[in-house]
Amino acid sequence: MNQWIDLIINNLDLIYILILAIFVGVEVIKHIPTILHTPLMSGANALSGVVVVGALLVMLNADPDDYLALCLGFIAVVLGIVNVVGGFAVTGRMLQMFKKKD
Amino acid sequence: MNQWIDLIINNLDLIYILILAIFVGVEVIKHIPTILHTPLMSGANALSGVVVVGALLVMLNADPDDYLALCLGFIAVVLGIVNVVGGFAVTGRMLQMFKKKD
Amino acid sequence: MKIGILKETKKGEKRVSISPKIAAQLIAKGFELIAEEGAGSDSSYKNSDYREVGVQTEERGVVFKEADILIKINPFDKDDLKLVNEGQILISQLFHKSDPELIREIAATKASAFSMDAIPRISRAQEMDVLSSQSNLAGYKAVIYGAYLMKKILPLMMTAAGTIKPARVLIYGIGVAGLQAIATAKRLGAIVRATDIRPETKEQAESLGAKFISVNGENNEQNSVYAKAASEDYARKQREAVNKSLFKSDLVITTAFVPGRKAPTLITTEQVEQMKNGAVIIDLAATEGGNCELSKLNKIVRHKGVKIVGTTIAPESVSYNASELFAKNVFNFIMHLTEGNQFKWDLEEEITDETLIVHKGEIRKT
Amino acid sequence: MKIGILKETKKGEKRVSISPKIAAQLIAKGFELIAEEGAGSDSSYKNSDYREVGVQTEERGVVFKEADILIKINPFDKDDLKLVNEGQILISQLFHKSDPELIREIAATKASAFSMDAIPRISRAQEMDVLSSQSNLAGYKAVIYGAYLMKKILPLMMTAAGTIKPARVLIYGIGVAGLQAIATAKRLGAIVRATDIRPETKEQAESLGAKFISVNGENNEQNSVYAKAASEDYARKQREAVNKSLFKSDLVITTAFVPGRKAPTLITTEQVEQMKNGAVIIDLAATEGGNCELSKLNKIVRHKGVKIVGTTIAPESVSYNASELFAKNVFNFIMHLTEGNQFKWDLEEEITDETLIVHKGEIRKT
Amino acid sequence: MNAILSVVYLVATITFIVGLKMLGHPATAKKGNYVAASGMGLAILGTLLLHDLEVPTMIYILIGLAILVGGAIGALMAIKVKMTKMPELVSLFNGFGGASAALIGLVAFSRQLGDATQATTVISGIVIGALTFSGSIIAWGKLDGTFKSVINIPKRNLINNILLTSIVVFAGFMVISGQQEPMYIYLLLGASLLYGVLFVLPIGGADMPVVISLLNSLTGIAAAITGLLYDNMVMLVGGILVGSAGIILTVAMCRAMNRTLLAVIFGAFGGGETVEGEDRAVGNITKTNAGDAAILMNYATNVIIVPGYGLAVAQAQHVIHELEELLTQRGVQVKYAIHPVAGRMPGHMNVLLAESNVDYDLLVEMEDINPQFPQTDVVLVVGANDVVNPAAHNDPASPIYGMPILDVENAKHIIVNKRSMNPGYAGIENELFYNAKTAMLFGDAKAALTELVAELKNL
Amino acid sequence: MNAILSVVYLVATITFIVGLKMLGHPATAKKGNYVAASGMGLAILGTLLLHDLEVPTMIYILIGLAILVGGAIGALMAIKVKMTKMPELVSLFNGFGGASAALIGLVAFSRQLGDATQATTVISGIVIGALTFSGSIIAWGKLDGTFKSVINIPKRNLINNILLTSIVVFAGFMVISGQQEPMYIYLLLGASLLYGVLFVLPIGGADMPVVISLLNSLTGIAAAITGLLYDNMVMLVGGILVGSAGIILTVAMCRAMNRTLLAVIFGAFGGGETVEGEDRAVGNITKTNAGDAAILMNYATNVIIVPGYGLAVAQAQHVIHELEELLTQRGVQVKYAIHPVAGRMPGHMNVLLAESNVDYDLLVEMEDINPQFPQTDVVLVVGANDVVNPAAHNDPASPIYGMPILDVENAKHIIVNKRSMNPGYAGIENELFYNAKTAMLFGDAKAALTELVAELKNL
Ligand SMILES: NC(=O)c1ccc[n+]([C@@H]2O[C@H](COP(=O)([O-])OP(=O)(O)OC[C@H]3O[C@@H](n4cnc5c(N)ncnc54)[C@H](OP(=O)(O)O)[C@@H]3O)[C@@H](O)[C@H]2O)c1
Ligand SMILES: NC(=O)c1ccc[n+]([C@@H]2O[C@H](COP(=O)([O-])OP(=O)(O)OC[C@H]3O[C@@H](n4cnc5c(N)ncnc54)[C@H](OP(=O)(O)O)[C@@H]3O)[C@@H](O)[C@H]2O)c1
Ligand SMILES: NC(=O)c1ccc[n+]([C@@H]2O[C@H](COP(=O)([O-])OP(=O)(O)OC[C@H]3O[C@@H](n4cnc5c(N)ncnc54)[C@H](O)[C@@H]3O)[C@@H](O)[C@H]2O)c1
Ligand SMILES: NC(=O)c1ccc[n+]([C@@H]2O[C@H](COP(=O)([O-])OP(=O)(O)OC[C@H]3O[C@@H](n4cnc5c(N)ncnc54)[C@H](O)[C@@H]3O)[C@@H](O)[C@H]2O)c1
């Protein structure tokens, strides 16, 4: 019990951030047209690639001889970057249709 | 300069909270019908009465013989409560018109 | 006071000046009523209908003798005037500007005469305005009549057996009749064009869905309620502007009047000859000489495949509604002129002033 | 092959079976055309109009002699048949079920005869369906005719001189003509009610803004395209259901047919007597005996203040459009029957089978 | 800090957000008010009961007294106030909130200030709180009629801006120098109060709502600053919420009045410009917009539509029918009042409305509808003018005197749609437009009604 | 941490929020994508350049390599993929993100874990990352056709739920007991991977988009957890944003497919139920909704409206005219294609459209419009059926064989509005509805078009 109380008190700011961010996420997405579901999903997916920052931190923080960390970190960066670059690129392509032809 | 950097680093969470809260405030209020401007203003005013919490803290923290604090705190609580109670009550009255008559 | 309802004597006239319904309203206001026998028969009112609401029905002579106020739709004619007595009040249309002779004869009887067609075109007089109420029906019926005479239908139809193009209808004169004609033709699905000498009618025509044909160098002085006579220059420009539409039209309805003058000639024989085979012209201005050169009152003239119908019968042909409206106008007029069943003779007041043509034998307006 | 256009001989008929426009299309397809002189004059087509597009114009006898295919709108009559030769192909409406005698006479000439009125009511035959194309116009014109005859106007108008209530229009039979009548009356602003024996017409009437009058115990077997004759029980219930509307109606249009039988009697004399003074009945079923007991073909009967018009003239009165549509139907029909300008005589095929009444002197349908 | 209290504050914060959100929609606004109020109650109770401080009973009694007094005053004022006086009351309350923040700051200042951060918070709290207080009181007084005239201080913009700059510079100096001299803070306090007064005093009464909203937003910021001071999340987040929402609201209000916020802040407010001279001739007109009109009609029991010639000109017959159908669906009883001479030909309105298939039964003649206006919630006049002109009754000199008209002024609310203040056919002014119950919805009838329908659908 | 980096992260976070917001509106979506992408670039560059660590060049080279490889792969795949294959690519990418999170967790685990908080974050990061990875890969495979059949594991719901519970319990045990045994974590990893597979495998292809969105939301949560681990705000806030937005999106997608999220999560997904048997007879139909139809038409160059009997039944003539006017205002070229036998009487459509004042010039006859369909972006068929039935061309047995029809199937997109799959007058099936280019907009024409107009106005 005490542990949890500590957790709350220590991370109070984070909890606020969490809740506010959830509100922002929800408010920002509400009422989107169905046709944007897929591009938006794709865009959100690209954003979730932000985890690559963590992967970079793993590598930056790794000892040069911590091969496990370096190896896993390398893969993590590659995968994360694929997610980010591919994600935004694909989203961009999906959104081509919203160019007004004239 | 350093002072400012310290300020930022020390209050990073607060800054995030600030910015997220601003987003929430903006998102939540956008696109309201004009007719709700006044009730909303009134409701927001009642909410700004949350400052009464500070006034209460002043009194709770005051030494029993710190007359200045007690006195000012007393007035602050009275004014704050007037703001809160009166604010919500007036808002409630303004919103009477949205009762669907049938 | 006793009000006498006379039977119309003009040929083809089917209306009656007071309907039983309005008669009942007048009686409720305290008037006595007497009607000539058979007065309402052409508007589907029987003598019994009048008697039921409390109107006395009598022979012509009796009505003239007993009534204080005598009401007709068409001008009192010589035969009528022989029976009129001093001090009686005559109410009817008199068209006093076109027929000063008649006015002199009325004056000679020492009666007073109000002319319903002289009611000023002001908002508050609209409820007494017989020109409005009757032209309105005329505009409607002109289209119905035209549609009846045509070998084509008015609306567009895309059918399995091919597409029928919508008829093109052209309206001259966007007064009350013209507007109602636009509305009716539009309702039936025709393509409607219209023209008038008064520029402010453009918006009005468009508010009913017609395209307005503007005449270059529009007569800008024309901004009163009534049109003034057009210059020859204007007439020529108008022909040029309208011809393209005219020669494509299947139905043309003309309603242009200039009060107190002969109706303007808007369609010449030469123009008619260039019109479509099978086209129909309904000329509602025929009484005043017609807007089409070829039109003859109450006749259907055929000229090189075009039928030209000179008519005013339109309101008469909707005699039931026309009588109701005329009667209501008269009712409102009498209410306006009287107080406690007595005439106020308020000669200062605009409506009274404009309509009282002869006052106790004295001619007030010429 | 040479197609002969005959002038209609029936009294009052103003249409012509092939218009110059369609004639040109047939010529473009490789047919030769010959027309009787004056055939189109009542539809505003001159002989020269035909000659301009390449149609030979000749005297009646010549047409009968030279043409391989003879086209009329109305059934070939005895006089015509005297001139018909063996092997010729006759196309017209024949109403073979009502007139077996005529069919026998045609067979005697050893010609072949197609009846345009026997075209099956299937979607793909609609472009040849003369009943559809002509009843459609009839429905429109019936309303125009009615509106012309009435002493009232159709729309609601709230004016300074009082309110004119909208006319009430009642339509019997919601086939092609009935629907178009609904549409037209509705356009003019009337309050429209309609009734039919086939229940599925309810939705159709409503889709045009009319209220449908349901008859209790609706004939549920009625679900084909054509109506069957109604039982006496149904007729009684129908009268009960409709009477309230009928007695308030200002205009009644009846269009009820039962193919191959006398038209059903829907309005009895007794009912007419309870109708409004000034009401008008347009009976489009007059050729088949009429839907109103009192109606007489091509006559206006007046009965206790009600005008009853027995007519089929409606399509004839829009002869210009009617001829165009009929001609287009015939064109489509000929295109359907021929290939490379030769008749296919594909007797298995539904449309050919249903319409070919007499085949080279042999009667196929009775 | 107490963990439970933190959770309580968290919950309160969430209710603030949700409450504010709900306040933004007519359908949920009432509930939203309750939600926010209960969150506030929670925060106050939590603060009182869940702290870890040792507090003498005397102080509890004092607090209880303060709450009782404040609650009673607030409740009484709110209940007693007349509907029309509500905005000024809001302003007054808002001033109290600001004062409260300033007082808290003063108390904090009286203790020793810690680092620069704390100094910044305390001093800015005092400044903002004070100017909000004085500004709000002036706004209240102006609306209430206590301070009547628009006082025109010469060169007021210059003076105000100099004053503001001085305050900022001086406050900055105090923070950086670490000055703790009470004199200084009282000077600052005084200057802030003065600025609040000078800021609001020259502004015309019509612009007051915008000012109040702006001040309200400032109070929120003051509350947030106080929250920072006490490291109190509910104050911080709640205050910021009010601050940001308040700014958006202020902008929205400016937009509704066709002004920009910049113009408002930098003194383009003001005496001369607010009222267009012409209108003054007969009186003031009230403008409205599609959103408000939609809400008014949506919550009405019955609506009467008065069509006129403008409806025909705009060819808006189809839209008006859509509006009527929509309202009917929402349970509002809708009728059309047809004046016999509306339009330019007899039966003009009938032709028009028949085209869009309006049910004949909904068209009511003048004589029949006139007695119904007093029981009517909303009359919507669309492109009609002469036929609703009370001059026909009141002004014997008018060309339409004696003509029977539709007595729409007897209805509870009147919305008039036309493109401008131009007269109709008879060419005369129409008093109706200046009636206190009338709101003008300017614009082409088709466009305006289309917008109205769209707004109605969003409700 | 570096202050500038903090600011950079802050800016990046804001771009994420703003970008996501802009992605939600058709007009700003493209720009939103750029905004979000540039924020991401900023965050990555900042991380690399602004840290205070001593990093050997070798590691920089490795990182550079990783970025190059990853960037190249990502870009190539995105450019090469066919339009129709995009959803599966998104799923694949999403899996990579999940894997990345799991790997980071593994590395963190390999170092000693600190307190329970850290253990919780690391372990939940691994679990969520892993199941997202395996689930996404399965989803990708299914959509791509690599895993074809719907595998029906008996009692799969039970098994799945037991597995999930075990994972949660075991993870909890690890946190509480402070276990750091690598074996255990690999066990947990394996179980998580397995759960991802089992979760997605039984689900039908049609429901994949919902699953992908859900998994996407989970990746966001994994990223947030990683952010927590590194006390990194951009990951934390960005991740949560994706997580919450993703859930909302998932719910929205479910709603668009008429399912509930609960049903989706707890296994009501699935084989048998997804497709209504009947439709299968001729093929699959695609349903659409007003929002999508509105966007399709808004961004079209030209639209042809095909009215039929249903338009008359619904009395939707006024709404269709409104739609046409609105589209025309937006620069879309609109025409009506009038089939000669549309409706139930000759000229039925003409009467109808004349009533709502549709310009005669916009009505085009069949022969004239048929050649125009191939150049037409969108055809909107409203309550028509037989007149657009290709059976008239293709099926000699059909009662309408030989009847000329409107060749709408030549257009690029076809939207058909009717109430159901019921046949029209001729009583026959219509292949057009099963055409790959056709989207069915079910509902009464008046209601459906009204909604469409409303959606169009919101664009
Ligand atoms: N019914 C008849 O038979 C007949 C015949 C002739 C004359 N009149 C006279 O006409 C008048 C009729 O009264 P009314 O009230 O119907 O019309 P009105 O008094 O002429 O007023 C019409 C109003 O509509 C507004 N308007 C014009 N176009 C508009 C648009 N597109 N959108 C919105 N509003 C528009 C105009 O104001 P804005 O310019 O500011 O928009 C105008 O004030 C009476 O005076 C009557 O006597 C009637
Ligand atoms: N024009 C003529 O003269 C005439 C005369 C007689 C017969 N016909 C025949 O009628 C047919 C006409 O073709 P069509 O395409 O116009 O009509 P159709 O083939 O009868 O199809 C109409 C469609 O509209 C839909 N519908 C009905 N009510 C609706 C509503 N309220 N909202 C939305 N959709 C609705 C129906 O589907 P749901 O039930 O699923 O909604 C139906 O499939 C042809 O077969 C033609 O031969 C024509
Ligand atoms: N305010 C009122 O109360 C009221 C009442 C009734 C009518 N009016 C108005 O009075 C006006 C006249 O109505 P009316 O129908 O009795 O008019 P009218 O019968 O005198 O004339 C019919 C129309 O013909 C037009 N005309 C005349 N000469 C022409 C020419 N050479 N070429 C083309 N057009 C020509 C006139 O401008 C007029 O519009 C209308 O604008 C009507 O709205 C007003
Ligand atoms: N599919 C096609 O291609 C096609 C083509 C043309 C017509 N049709 C359909 O055929 C049907 C008949 O058309 P029509 O106009 O030639 O019919 P019709 O002229 O034979 O009859 C007219 C109407 O009278 C009705 N009727 C008969 N007896 C009645 C009674 N006792 N009481 C009331 N009503 C009675 C019939 O039901 C019919 O609706 C219509 O539904 C029409 O839509 C279909």
Side-chain angles (χ1 to χ4, degrees), chain B residues 34-35 58 76 93 100, chain E residues 79 81 100 289 292 295 298:
Chain B
T34 324
I35 204 156
V58 165
R93 278 194 59 194
K100 186 87 191 157
Chain E
I79 294 167
V81 69
S100 188
N289 58 35
D292 290 1
I295 291 180
N298 191 46

mmCIF file with all atom_site columns, all heavy atoms in Angstrom, chain B residues 34-35 58 76 93 100, chain E residues 79 81 100 289 292 295 298:
data_model
loop_
_atom_site.group_PDB
_atom_site.id
_atom_site.type_symbol
_atom_site.label_atom_id
_atom_site.label_alt_id
_atom_site.label_comp_id
_atom_site.label_asym_id
_atom_site.label_entity_id
_atom_site.label_seq_id
_atom_site.pdbx_PDB_ins_code
_atom_site.Cartn_x
_atom_site.Cartn_y
_atom_site.Cartn_z
_atom_site.occupancy
_atom_site.B_iso_or_equiv
_atom_site.pdbx_formal_charge
_atom_site.auth_seq_id
_atom_site.auth_comp_id
_atom_site.auth_asym_id
_atom_site.auth_atom_id
_atom_site.pdbx_PDB_model_num
ATOM 1   N N   . THR B 1 34  ? -22.387 30.971 -29.701 1.00 0.00 ? 34  THR B N   1
ATOM 2   C CA  . THR B 1 34  ? -22.324 32.289 -29.084 1.00 0.00 ? 34  THR B CA  1
ATOM 3   C C   . THR B 1 34  ? -23.236 32.410 -27.874 1.00 0.00 ? 34  THR B C   1
ATOM 4   O O   . THR B 1 34  ? -22.901 33.067 -26.902 1.00 0.00 ? 34  THR B O   1
ATOM 5   C CB  . THR B 1 34  ? -22.746 33.361 -30.100 1.00 0.00 ? 34  THR B CB  1
ATOM 6   O OG1 . THR B 1 34  ? -22.289 32.975 -31.375 1.00 0.00 ? 34  THR B OG1 1
ATOM 7   C CG2 . THR B 1 34  ? -22.170 34.701 -29.735 1.00 0.00 ? 34  THR B CG2 1
ATOM 8   N N   . ILE B 1 35  ? -24.374 31.762 -27.970 1.00 0.00 ? 35  ILE B N   1
ATOM 9   C CA  . ILE B 1 35  ? -25.327 31.954 -26.884 1.00 0.00 ? 35  ILE B CA  1
ATOM 10  C C   . ILE B 1 35  ? -24.784 31.407 -25.573 1.00 0.00 ? 35  ILE B C   1
ATOM 11  O O   . ILE B 1 35  ? -25.228 31.784 -24.503 1.00 0.00 ? 35  ILE B O   1
ATOM 12  C CB  . ILE B 1 35  ? -26.677 31.308 -27.237 1.00 0.00 ? 35  ILE B CB  1
ATOM 13  C CG1 . ILE B 1 35  ? -27.774 31.986 -26.443 1.00 0.00 ? 35  ILE B CG1 1
ATOM 14  C CG2 . ILE B 1 35  ? -26.655 29.821 -27.005 1.00 0.00 ? 35  ILE B CG2 1
ATOM 15  C CD1 . ILE B 1 35  ? -29.121 31.857 -27.094 1.00 0.00 ? 35  ILE B CD1 1
ATOM 16  N N   . VAL B 1 58  ? -3.471  29.430 3.177   1.00 0.00 ? 58  VAL B N   1
ATOM 17  C CA  . VAL B 1 58  ? -2.892  30.535 3.937   1.00 0.00 ? 58  VAL B CA  1
ATOM 18  C C   . VAL B 1 58  ? -3.333  30.444 5.389   1.00 0.00 ? 58  VAL B C   1
ATOM 19  O O   . VAL B 1 58  ? -2.544  30.498 6.327   1.00 0.00 ? 58  VAL B O   1
ATOM 20  C CB  . VAL B 1 58  ? -3.303  31.902 3.341   1.00 0.00 ? 58  VAL B CB  1
ATOM 21  C CG1 . VAL B 1 58  ? -3.022  33.017 4.339   1.00 0.00 ? 58  VAL B CG1 1
ATOM 22  C CG2 . VAL B 1 58  ? -2.593  32.147 2.042   1.00 0.00 ? 58  VAL B CG2 1
ATOM 23  N N   . ALA B 1 76  ? -9.563  36.767 2.190   1.00 0.00 ? 76  ALA B N   1
ATOM 24  C CA  . ALA B 1 76  ? -9.350  36.038 0.946   1.00 0.00 ? 76  ALA B CA  1
ATOM 25  C C   . ALA B 1 76  ? -10.310 34.855 0.844   1.00 0.00 ? 76  ALA B C   1
ATOM 26  O O   . ALA B 1 76  ? -10.894 34.593 -0.205  1.00 0.00 ? 76  ALA B O   1
ATOM 27  C CB  . ALA B 1 76  ? -7.906  35.559 0.858   1.00 0.00 ? 76  ALA B CB  1
ATOM 28  N N   . ARG B 1 93  ? -28.295 29.545 -12.864 1.00 0.00 ? 93  ARG B N   1
ATOM 29  C CA  . ARG B 1 93  ? -29.502 30.288 -13.242 1.00 0.00 ? 93  ARG B CA  1
ATOM 30  C C   . ARG B 1 93  ? -29.500 30.644 -14.721 1.00 0.00 ? 93  ARG B C   1
ATOM 31  O O   . ARG B 1 93  ? -30.520 30.566 -15.398 1.00 0.00 ? 93  ARG B O   1
ATOM 32  C CB  . ARG B 1 93  ? -29.608 31.571 -12.407 1.00 0.00 ? 93  ARG B CB  1
ATOM 33  C CG  . ARG B 1 93  ? -30.211 31.305 -11.030 1.00 0.00 ? 93  ARG B CG  1
ATOM 34  C CD  . ARG B 1 93  ? -30.629 32.592 -10.367 1.00 0.00 ? 93  ARG B CD  1
ATOM 35  N NE  . ARG B 1 93  ? -31.615 33.340 -11.132 1.00 0.00 ? 93  ARG B NE  1
ATOM 36  C CZ  . ARG B 1 93  ? -31.935 34.607 -10.893 1.00 0.00 ? 93  ARG B CZ  1
ATOM 37  N NH1 . ARG B 1 93  ? -31.338 35.250 -9.909  1.00 0.00 ? 93  ARG B NH1 1
ATOM 38  N NH2 . ARG B 1 93  ? -32.828 35.217 -11.623 1.00 0.00 ? 93  ARG B NH2 1
ATOM 39  N N   . LYS B 1 100 ? -35.430 21.936 -21.679 1.00 0.00 ? 100 LYS B N   1
ATOM 40  C CA  . LYS B 1 100 ? -36.406 21.726 -22.753 1.00 0.00 ? 100 LYS B CA  1
ATOM 41  C C   . LYS B 1 100 ? -37.791 21.770 -22.132 1.00 0.00 ? 100 LYS B C   1
ATOM 42  O O   . LYS B 1 100 ? -38.143 20.947 -21.300 1.00 0.00 ? 100 LYS B O   1
ATOM 43  C CB  . LYS B 1 100 ? -36.136 20.374 -23.421 1.00 0.00 ? 100 LYS B CB  1
ATOM 44  C CG  . LYS B 1 100 ? -36.994 20.094 -24.640 1.00 0.00 ? 100 LYS B CG  1
ATOM 45  C CD  . LYS B 1 100 ? -36.393 20.650 -25.910 1.00 0.00 ? 100 LYS B CD  1
ATOM 46  C CE  . LYS B 1 100 ? -37.413 20.572 -27.039 1.00 0.00 ? 100 LYS B CE  1
ATOM 47  N NZ  . LYS B 1 100 ? -37.144 21.515 -28.104 1.00 0.00 ? 100 LYS B NZ  1
ATOM 48  N N   . ILE E 2 79  ? -28.974 34.477 -6.205  1.00 0.00 ? 79  ILE E N   1
ATOM 49  C CA  . ILE E 2 79  ? -30.407 34.189 -6.292  1.00 0.00 ? 79  ILE E CA  1
ATOM 50  C C   . ILE E 2 79  ? -31.193 35.469 -6.523  1.00 0.00 ? 79  ILE E C   1
ATOM 51  O O   . ILE E 2 79  ? -32.161 35.496 -7.272  1.00 0.00 ? 79  ILE E O   1
ATOM 52  C CB  . ILE E 2 79  ? -30.888 33.486 -5.006  1.00 0.00 ? 79  ILE E CB  1
ATOM 53  C CG1 . ILE E 2 79  ? -30.220 32.107 -4.914  1.00 0.00 ? 79  ILE E CG1 1
ATOM 54  C CG2 . ILE E 2 79  ? -32.393 33.344 -4.982  1.00 0.00 ? 79  ILE E CG2 1
ATOM 55  C CD1 . ILE E 2 79  ? -30.362 31.452 -3.569  1.00 0.00 ? 79  ILE E CD1 1
ATOM 56  N N   . VAL E 2 81  ? -30.267 38.315 -7.912  1.00 0.00 ? 81  VAL E N   1
ATOM 57  C CA  . VAL E 2 81  ? -29.992 39.162 -9.070  1.00 0.00 ? 81  VAL E CA  1
ATOM 58  C C   . VAL E 2 81  ? -31.038 38.967 -10.176 1.00 0.00 ? 81  VAL E C   1
ATOM 59  O O   . VAL E 2 81  ? -31.571 37.872 -10.376 1.00 0.00 ? 81  VAL E O   1
ATOM 60  C CB  . VAL E 2 81  ? -28.582 38.877 -9.628  1.00 0.00 ? 81  VAL E CB  1
ATOM 61  C CG1 . VAL E 2 81  ? -28.544 37.506 -10.261 1.00 0.00 ? 81  VAL E CG1 1
ATOM 62  C CG2 . VAL E 2 81  ? -28.154 39.940 -10.619 1.00 0.00 ? 81  VAL E CG2 1
ATOM 63  N N   . SER E 2 100 ? -8.806  37.940 -3.867  1.00 0.00 ? 100 SER E N   1
ATOM 64  C CA  . SER E 2 100 ? -8.365  36.814 -3.053  1.00 0.00 ? 100 SER E CA  1
ATOM 65  C C   . SER E 2 100 ? -6.929  36.440 -3.426  1.00 0.00 ? 100 SER E C   1
ATOM 66  O O   . SER E 2 100 ? -6.083  36.256 -2.547  1.00 0.00 ? 100 SER E O   1
ATOM 67  C CB  . SER E 2 100 ? -9.323  35.647 -3.280  1.00 0.00 ? 100 SER E CB  1
ATOM 68  O OG  . SER E 2 100 ? -9.074  34.604 -2.396  1.00 0.00 ? 100 SER E OG  1
ATOM 69  N N   . ASN E 2 289 ? -26.623 35.948 -34.313 1.00 0.00 ? 289 ASN E N   1
ATOM 70  C CA  . ASN E 2 289 ? -26.018 35.112 -35.344 1.00 0.00 ? 289 ASN E CA  1
ATOM 71  C C   . ASN E 2 289 ? -26.739 33.779 -35.411 1.00 0.00 ? 289 ASN E C   1
ATOM 72  O O   . ASN E 2 289 ? -27.610 33.475 -34.598 1.00 0.00 ? 289 ASN E O   1
ATOM 73  C CB  . ASN E 2 289 ? -24.532 34.916 -35.055 1.00 0.00 ? 289 ASN E CB  1
ATOM 74  C CG  . ASN E 2 289 ? -24.318 34.290 -33.705 1.00 0.00 ? 289 ASN E CG  1
ATOM 75  O OD1 . ASN E 2 289 ? -25.110 33.456 -33.277 1.00 0.00 ? 289 ASN E OD1 1
ATOM 76  N ND2 . ASN E 2 289 ? -23.274 34.695 -33.033 1.00 0.00 ? 289 ASN E ND2 1
ATOM 77  N N   . ASP E 2 292 ? -26.872 31.428 -32.197 1.00 0.00 ? 292 ASP E N   1
ATOM 78  C CA  . ASP E 2 292 ? -27.788 31.825 -31.135 1.00 0.00 ? 292 ASP E CA  1
ATOM 79  C C   . ASP E 2 292 ? -29.229 31.645 -31.556 1.00 0.00 ? 292 ASP E C   1
ATOM 80  O O   . ASP E 2 292 ? -30.059 31.162 -30.789 1.00 0.00 ? 292 ASP E O   1
ATOM 81  C CB  . ASP E 2 292 ? -27.568 33.297 -30.790 1.00 0.00 ? 292 ASP E CB  1
ATOM 82  C CG  . ASP E 2 292 ? -26.249 33.488 -30.105 1.00 0.00 ? 292 ASP E CG  1
ATOM 83  O OD1 . ASP E 2 292 ? -25.531 32.487 -29.932 1.00 0.00 ? 292 ASP E OD1 1
ATOM 84  O OD2 . ASP E 2 292 ? -25.930 34.631 -29.742 1.00 0.00 ? 292 ASP E OD2 1
ATOM 85  N N   . ILE E 2 295 ? -30.210 28.071 -31.270 1.00 0.00 ? 295 ILE E N   1
ATOM 86  C CA  . ILE E 2 295 ? -30.467 27.605 -29.908 1.00 0.00 ? 295 ILE E CA  1
ATOM 87  C C   . ILE E 2 295 ? -31.800 28.132 -29.407 1.00 0.00 ? 295 ILE E C   1
ATOM 88  O O   . ILE E 2 295 ? -32.611 27.403 -28.842 1.00 0.00 ? 295 ILE E O   1
ATOM 89  C CB  . ILE E 2 295 ? -29.325 28.040 -28.983 1.00 0.00 ? 295 ILE E CB  1
ATOM 90  C CG1 . ILE E 2 295 ? -28.078 27.253 -29.356 1.00 0.00 ? 295 ILE E CG1 1
ATOM 91  C CG2 . ILE E 2 295 ? -29.684 27.814 -27.536 1.00 0.00 ? 295 ILE E CG2 1
ATOM 92  C CD1 . ILE E 2 295 ? -26.885 27.594 -28.533 1.00 0.00 ? 295 ILE E CD1 1
ATOM 93  N N   . ASN E 2 298 ? -34.435 26.117 -31.041 1.00 0.00 ? 298 ASN E N   1
ATOM 94  C CA  . ASN E 2 298 ? -34.408 24.718 -30.643 1.00 0.00 ? 298 ASN E CA  1
ATOM 95  C C   . ASN E 2 298 ? -35.079 24.518 -29.296 1.00 0.00 ? 298 ASN E C   1
ATOM 96  O O   . ASN E 2 298 ? -35.756 23.528 -29.069 1.00 0.00 ? 298 ASN E O   1
ATOM 97  C CB  . ASN E 2 298 ? -32.956 24.240 -30.573 1.00 0.00 ? 298 ASN E CB  1
ATOM 98  C CG  . ASN E 2 298 ? -32.848 22.742 -30.427 1.00 0.00 ? 298 ASN E CG  1
ATOM 99  O OD1 . ASN E 2 298 ? -33.523 22.009 -31.142 1.00 0.00 ? 298 ASN E OD1 1
ATOM 100 N ND2 . ASN E 2 298 ? -32.031 22.292 -29.521 1.00 0.00 ? 298 ASN E ND2 1
#
